[in-house]
Amino acid sequence: MSTRYNFRENEEKWQKAWAEASLYKTKETLPKYYVLEMLPYPSGRLHMGHARNYTIGDVIARYKHASGYAVLHPMGWDAFGLPAENAAIQHGTSPKTWTLENVRLMKEEINSLGISYDWDREILTCSPDYYRHEQKIFLDFLKQGIAYRRESFVNWDPVEGTVLANEQVIDGKGWRSNAPIERRRLSQWFFKITDFAQDLLDDLALLENWPDQVKTMQINWVGRSEGALVLFPLVEKKDILEVFTTRPDTLFGASFLGISPDHPFVEALAKENPALDTFIIECRAQGTSQKEVDTAEKKGFNTGLTVQHPFLKNKTLPLYVANFVLMEYGTGVIFGCPAHDARDFDFAVKYKLPILPVVKGVSEEPLPYDGEGVLCNSDFLDGLSINDAKKEVIRRLELKKLGTHKVTYKLRDWGVSRQRYWGCPIPIIHCPFCGIVSVPEHQLPVALPESISFDQPGNPLDSHPTWKYVDCPNCGEAALRETDTLDTFVDSSWYFARYCSPHGSQPIDPDKAEFWLPVDQYIGGIEHAILHLLYARFFTKALRKCGYWSLSEPFKNLLTQGMVCHETYRDQSGSWLYPHEVERREGKLVKLSDGTPVKAGRSEKMSKSKCNVVPTAKIVEEYGADTARLFMLSDSPPERDFEWTEAGIEGSWRYLNKLWRLVTAHLSDVKVARSPEVFTENALKLRKLTHKTIYHVTQDIEKFHFNRYVAHLREFSNTLEEFTPSESSENWALHEALHTLVLLAAPALPHLAEALWAELGHEPFVFNQPWPKADPSLITEDNLTLAIQINGKTRGTLEVSSQLSEDAIKDLILEMPSVRSYSQGKPLKKFIYIPGKVANVVV
RNA sequence: GCGGGCGUGGUGGAAUUGGUAGACACGCCAGACUUAGGAUCUGGUGACGCAAGUCGUGGGGGUUCAAGUCCCUUCGCCCGCACCA
């Protein structure tokens, strides 16, 4: 008997055996369970964040399989995207070759972890087999009016002659060129997600098992607000400006109108006003990200024009072009009420505009004040509450035909055009005669050309010598292909459906989708709480509109996992060091190469830039997959950040060996054939623990308390270690306990469990064994321990029979010597009894 | 700037959701063992105190018989912000 568990030999052996037996091939029987981890980008290296994600999914998949479900547990690759193009520009590799090699490497690493994926259903989004269906969906969206084209702004790098992603813009400059970035207007494709805004809000109610914080974030993101549309006629011109406001009640406190620099009216004005044109150019020097807009200095340009106040004949308001007014939200024009809005207040102070309070709080409130109150200085609104004033002002506006009630959403339509090569081509042809023409379905896929060059600025599809030149499918005249490709979020918005019929000739097979969807458990990082999840939800509704299915929500349950973190290290010169370059000598951290001191920084999310990454491959090589899996499950609850430590992985490795010793040491003790009729007290005690452990572990996994799951396994094995059978019923109980232990450990430690299952004399595979069931008669306790409190402070415990009545317990407690001494003969004021938990004596 | 979270021993965390704070580990301390191993085993370990006991869940305040848990306030850190995925 070996006292050390040989993980290398075992993991290789069983992974091979599982593959040969096609153990993870999906069966299509009821009940079904679809467990899905978020589609990874194939960066080439499996990091611990992935490993944690897949381990969690794997435990659930294995547990559900053992519980009798037909489990769908697929994996694939979010294979389009910027990094492949960056690699192409830097190293001259082709995006396709680079991506496929990364996929190969990552797949190997995933398999080394022993995750139970059905690889027959693998998806690769950059493969024409996948994106041809996405192109079909795009055309369906176009038919339904969900896809459309309009102008919007991009980050333009004037030196590179390229559109940049937000992350490529650093402090307003291009990351490679360092040139100031400007916002440039381009005609682009959009998806009409705003048509589904209300559905996206309403259907959150169906998602009972989504974390509340994710639902809240989505609600705020969609940002429904009720307010009014108010018309302001210009005094000097014939035009009328439409303003959306959520505070129509403060209309009498308005002191200016702010209009977006991107508003068509402003652009027209700028043509005859060079100073305004300069101001607009200044505003466009700012990036497109929300954070930049919000944190930029608030600037205005007085157009010299004024608008008429809808109710006050003698009041006009100056019209300012303001850099903080967004064209995408509301109407692109606001009215400013400085007394009751912080941003308007700052603006009014800066440009010396009047500040007239129109809402009185309970006491004198400092301005700007946006709390509850009663209207004042507001003509017919005086004395009304804010809510009544809103209703009244809208009623009066409607009478004068100068406004109306209106609901708006912060949510903007989804811009899906990317001026890039490595993405799904948009299947559209621009014909000089017919306009925008869909590529006929039988011509799909519109495949990416493979011979491309990144030598020229801009999109290689655009500069390709032949690719974009085609004949119009409609009239046959010379036409041009659309050279924009789709945002990679589109690829990941419907992949969960493709897994149900990965080889089907249509994008989605309705029967298969009907069978498997919705996804029963979706697992992924909290960083996707808004965009990816919202887009996938939108797609589900849009696909329903196109007649693909009747599904309204894609993911029934959602688990958002935290990040994997690691301590950071810097040497004396301040350079970051990898953990393996650092060593602890005599309690001090030193650099391995030269022994100089190393400063440990706080633990942060693993990232290449800070060198605090631990590659999965290294851990699997050193400790094996099961140790890595166990550690990632045992330390933190899944939704919290995870702290990767050397000590932690060592501790998990020791536990694996302990399990191995525990089972193998007792192999001769557990060869008992028949179930005994009478159990000794020790045997019964052990059986109770076994069944309680089954109960707890089952609960823990069901609730995704994987750290407690592991803690219960450890507690159970600690007791088993001390147990020495001296009689046949005790042998039987130990036999039951060890078998149970192996079965319970199997979802977390599939390789070790498989090895121990064989050691116990069974045929493979432990994977196919049913999940143990707790015997209810063995998990109830005869006695319970009550906490005894005097005046709310715990002063002791009392063990009582669970049969005793409350009165009997009360008498017992009041007679306790400790209770008597603490209460010092004071009269009993109150006696609080929480059955099975606590009794509080208040004197 | 806006939206969402988190904060418990030296460390990761547990606490049947308002009911014995610190389960289970890591680390550390003391000891045992020797086929010297990536060991293993036994005991101890929140702080203060000789003890009885007192204090303890980022800080301050509140509700309650009872607060890590609920409310207010404050500090620190993290995630997202629409072209990274």
Side-chain angles (χ1 to χ4, degrees):
Chain A
M1 182 201 73
S2 160
T3 54
R4 295 194 68 84
Y5 168 58
N6 188 336
F7 70 83
R8 263 179 256 269
E9 195 179 281
N10 263 298
E11 293 188 353
E12 206 192 314
K13 173 181 165 186
W14 290 110
Q15 281 171 15
K16 213 174 141 214
W18 295 335
E20 276 166 12
S22 299
L23 207 58
Y24 306 128
K25 183 145 186 67
T26 311
K27 294 166 197 72
E28 300 194 330
T29 53
L30 285 170
K32 67 94 187 178
Y33 195 87
Y34 185 177
V35 54
L36 181 64
E37 294 105 58
M38 284 181 184
L39 189 69
Y41 181 79
S43 57
R45 271 292 175 86
L46 199 67
H47 59 69
M48 283 301 167
H50 292 124
R52 188 182 193 200
N53 192 199
Y54 308 153
T55 302
I56 291 168
D58 200 41
V59 170
I60 297 171
R62 287 172 184 273
Y63 164 74
K64 287 291 175 181
H65 172 81
S67 307
Y69 289 86
V71 173
L72 174 56
H73 191 210
M75 178 47 65
W77 311 98
D78 192 9
F80 274 136
L82 267 184
E85 289 195 26
N86 292 334
I89 292 165
Q90 271 176 21
H91 313 297
T93 50
S94 106
K96 183 180 167 184
T97 314
W98 185 84
T99 304
L100 293 183
E101 176 59 10
N102 282 348
V103 165
R104 192 185 64 77
L105 288 170
M106 276 179 81
K107 194 168 166 180
E108 236 169 57
E109 289 196 45
I110 287 179
N111 280 329
S112 78
L113 279 172
I115 312 287
S116 61
Y117 292 129
D118 178 358
W119 285 110
D120 291 348
R121 291 176 181 252
E122 182 177 3
I123 276 170
L124 183 66
T125 61
C126 68
S127 146
D129 290 340
Y130 184 81
Y131 69 67
R132 70 184 302 155
H133 300 296
E134 193 161 303
Q135 291 172 340
K136 163 85 163 76
I137 292 171
F138 181 91
L139 295 177
D140 287 332
F141 279 10
L142 190 66
K143 272 181 222 152
Q144 289 294 328
I146 299 167
Y148 71 99
R149 209 167 146 80
R150 71 161 157 89
E151 288 197 320
S152 86
F153 287 92
V154 293
N155 296 310
W156 180 255
D157 185 322
V159 171
E160 284 198 24
T162 317
V163 177
L164 297 186
N166 281 340
E167 73 154 12
Q168 296 174 319
V169 181
I170 295 151
D171 295 329
K173 302 200 173 103
W175 66 336
R176 278 192 283 249
S177 69
N178 209 30
I181 296 309
E182 45 195 78
R183 289 193 300 153
R184 182 179 272 206
R185 205 193 281 273
L186 271 187
S187 219
Q188 307 195 75
W189 289 98
F190 281 80
F191 285 164
K192 215 155 184 10
I193 190 172
T194 51
D195 272 1
F196 298 82
Q198 196 58 50
D199 276 354
L200 287 166
L201 285 179
D202 293 345
D203 289 354
L204 284 172
L206 305 172
L207 304 175
E208 286 171 38
N209 288 307
W210 276 40
D212 284 337
Q213 90 233 40
V214 174
K215 287 194 269 191
T216 309
M217 279 192 264
Q218 295 218 346
I219 290 170
N220 291 331
W221 186 262
V222 175
R224 180 194 155 100
S225 51
E226 280 193 55
L229 204 61
V230 188
L231 303 182
F232 287 91
L234 277 144
V235 175
E236 295 81 3
K237 293 184 170 239
K238 279 206 165 156
D239 302 79
I240 293 174
L241 291 175
E242 273 193 1
V243 169
F244 173 76
T245 177
T246 55
R247 292 295 302 272
D249 53 303
T250 64
L251 193 52
F252 289 91
S255 53
F256 67 95
L257 238 62
I259 185 165
S260 165
D262 301 326
H263 199 286
F265 178 77
V266 175
E267 294 192 337
L269 273 187
K271 283 190 184 135
E272 50 213 58
N273 187 340
L276 175 57
D277 200 45
T278 312
F279 180 76
I280 294 175
I281 291 168
E282 260 174 53
C283 291
R284 296 221 173 131
Q286 205 178 65
T288 58
S289 85
Q290 190 63 49
K291 194 180 168 186
E292 274 182 272
V293 175
D294 283 348
T295 51
E297 193 200 346
K298 311 278 176 281
K299 280 189 291 192
F301 178 94
N302 192 344
T303 59
L305 301 176
T306 54
V307 295
Q308 175 62 48
H309 189 279
F311 296 111
L312 301 170
K313 266 211 177 106
N314 298 325
K315 187 164 181 177
T316 60
L317 306 172
L319 175 67
Y320 279 78
V321 180
N323 66 342
F324 58 89
V325 180
L326 299 174
M327 194 54 222
E328 286 91 356
Y329 180 64
T331 58
V333 192
I334 59 150
F335 76 73
C337 177
H340 305 291
D341 179 281
R343 211 164 42 178
D344 298 346
F345 186 86
D346 294 344
F347 193 85
V349 169
K350 186 166 177 180
Y351 295 101
K352 300 191 174 58
L353 297 165
I355 299 167
L356 175 69
V358 287
V359 178
K360 264 194 303 216
V362 186
S363 53
E364 278 299 303
E365 308 286 350
L367 298 179
Y369 172 68
D370 63 359
E372 285 301 312
V374 171
L375 274 285
C376 60
N377 299 325
S378 295
D379 198 314
F380 56 83
L381 296 178
D382 284 351
L384 295 179
S385 71
I386 290 176
N387 255 334
D388 291 344
K390 282 181 180 172
K391 280 180 205 149
E392 178 60 15
V393 79
I394 290 170
R395 194 182 70 84
R396 300 250 189 165
L397 282 168
E398 281 173 346
L399 282 177
K400 298 184 78 170
K401 302 218 182 309
L402 279 175
T404 179
H405 172 259
K406 174 144 173 106
V407 174
T408 343
Y409 301 87
K410 250 192 229 126
L411 184 68
R412 309 202 290 258
D413 274 341
W414 175 12
V416 293
S417 274
R418 298 292 180 270
Q419 293 70 40
R420 301 186 202 294
Y421 164 72
W422 196 232
C424 171
I426 295 175
I428 291 293
I429 289 164
H430 298 275
C431 170
F433 304 103
C434 312
I436 288 172
V437 180
S438 295
V439 172
E441 278 179 25
H442 67 269
Q443 286 180 19
L444 298 182
V446 175
L448 287 171
E450 297 212 3
S451 57
I452 39 121
S453 158
F454 284 96
D455 298 342
Q456 285 152 290
N459 182 354
L461 287 180
D462 208 31
S463 53
H464 190 276
T466 56
W467 188 78
K468 70 177 175 185
Y469 301 100
V470 289
D471 294 337
C472 171
N474 219 11
C475 67
E477 293 295 321
L480 293 175
R481 280 198 192 285
E482 171 66 65
T483 57
D484 282 358
T485 51
L486 289 173
D487 178 7
T488 56
F489 269 125
V490 179
D491 310 336
S492 55
S493 290
W494 68 284
Y495 77 107
F496 56 89
R498 188 67 190 160
Y499 279 134
C500 302
S501 53
H503 312 295
S505 59
Q506 290 302 304
I508 293 162
D509 178 327
D511 293 338
K512 301 290 183 190
E514 181 74 19
F515 181 82
W516 286 112
L517 292 171
V519 172
D520 293 281
Q521 187 62 52
Y522 198 33
I523 310 159
I526 183 71
E527 66 272 21
H528 296 290
I530 297 175
L531 290 181
H532 162 63
L533 289 171
L534 196 72
Y535 290 150
R537 294 183 59 222
F538 154 67
F539 246 70
T540 304
K541 294 169 198 309
L543 288 168
R544 182 177 59 183
K545 192 176 174 193
C546 296
Y548 278 90
W549 55 31
S550 58
L551 192 68
S552 53
E553 286 290 335
F555 312 124
K556 196 170 161 199
N557 301 296
L558 174 69
L559 175 63
T560 50
Q561 84 190 47
M563 297 170 305
V564 179
C565 301
H566 194 285
E567 206 172 32
T568 49
Y569 307 103
R570 294 177 112 146
D571 66 12
Q572 283 175 307
S573 69
S575 317
W576 301 102
L577 296 173
Y578 282 99
H580 65 258
E581 297 175 303
V582 177
E583 195 186 42
R584 191 172 287 275
R585 283 184 205 155
E586 288 145 26
K588 294 219 168 97
L589 289 174
V590 294
K591 201 164 159 183
L592 205 55
S593 54
D594 57 11
T596 55
V598 165
K599 203 178 160 212
R602 51 184 203 86
S603 180
E604 294 189 58
K605 176 184 178 172
M606 285 189 181
S607 77
K608 268 189 197 158
S609 63
K610 292 190 179 138
C611 292
N612 61 341
V613 281
V614 179
T616 311
K618 183 169 175 272
I619 298 301
V620 172
E621 174 59 28
E622 276 181 53
Y623 296 97
D626 283 347
T627 302
R629 294 168 60 114
L630 181 71
F631 179 39
M632 273 179 297
L633 294 168
S634 62
D635 244 39
S636 299
E639 54 286 338
R640 273 220 230 175
D641 285 355
F642 181 87
E643 180 70 27
W644 186 275
T645 60
E646 205 47 34
I649 189 82
E650 292 275 350
S652 293
W653 165 241
R654 282 203 289 273
Y655 179 63
L656 244 75
N657 277 297
K658 188 170 172 171
L659 262 181
W660 174 258
R661 279 196 309 273
L662 182 62
V663 177
T664 52
H666 287 294
L667 288 177
S668 57
D669 292 334
V670 298
K671 300 219 157 59
V672 200
R674 208 179 312 156
S675 168
E677 274 159 33
V678 192
F679 289 97
T680 65
E681 198 182 318
N682 272 339
L684 197 63
K685 223 170 133 188
L686 182 60
R687 294 205 67 207
K688 281 190 168 181
L689 180 67
T690 300
H691 285 264
K692 269 191 203 162
T693 304
I694 295 172
Y695 173 78
H696 284 305
V697 161
T698 307
Q699 288 294 305
D700 292 339
I701 297 181
E702 287 277 351
K703 291 180 178 163
F704 308 143
H705 295 163
F706 303 112
N707 52 335
R708 289 198 299 192
Y709 159 42
V710 176
H712 279 121
L713 288 182
R714 284 187 187 261
E715 267 186 296
F716 188 33
S717 8
N718 284 345
T719 311
L720 284 176
E721 257 190 334
E722 289 159 23
F723 190 85
T724 318
S726 55
E727 178 271 349
S728 74
S729 76
E730 292 177 5
N731 279 337
W732 192 92
L734 183 59
H735 176 265
E736 180 189 42
L738 291 175
H739 276 74
T740 303
L741 179 62
V742 170
L743 291 171
L744 294 180
L749 311 169
H751 309 85
L752 178 73
E754 205 68 80
L756 288 174
W757 191 247
E759 289 287 334
L760 285 168
H762 300 291
E763 289 296 309
F765 295 95
V766 73
F767 176 76
N768 285 326
Q769 290 302 309
W771 192 249
K773 280 202 169 59
D775 180 341
S777 68
L778 289 168
I779 59 174
T780 48
E781 277 296 346
D782 304 333
N783 285 329
L784 32 93
T785 309
L786 289 180
I788 308 302
Q789 302 182 332
I790 287 93
N791 290 338
K793 273 192 189 290
T794 304
R795 296 298 186 183
T797 58
L798 178 68
E799 196 158 310
V800 294
S801 156
S802 51
Q803 310 298 318
L804 275 186
S805 71
E806 180 177 339
D807 282 344
I809 288 169
K810 182 178 175 182
D811 290 345
L812 267 178
I813 288 169
L814 294 180
E815 289 309 310
M816 282 169 72
S818 60
V819 172
R820 290 187 150 196
S821 76
Y822 274 108
S823 53
Q824 296 172 333
K826 289 176 199 154
L828 182 70
K829 273 194 206 154
K830 211 170 179 181
F831 181 82
I832 294 146
Y833 176 62
I834 309 297
K837 286 175 186 168
V838 70
N840 191 3
V841 180
V842 184
V843 294

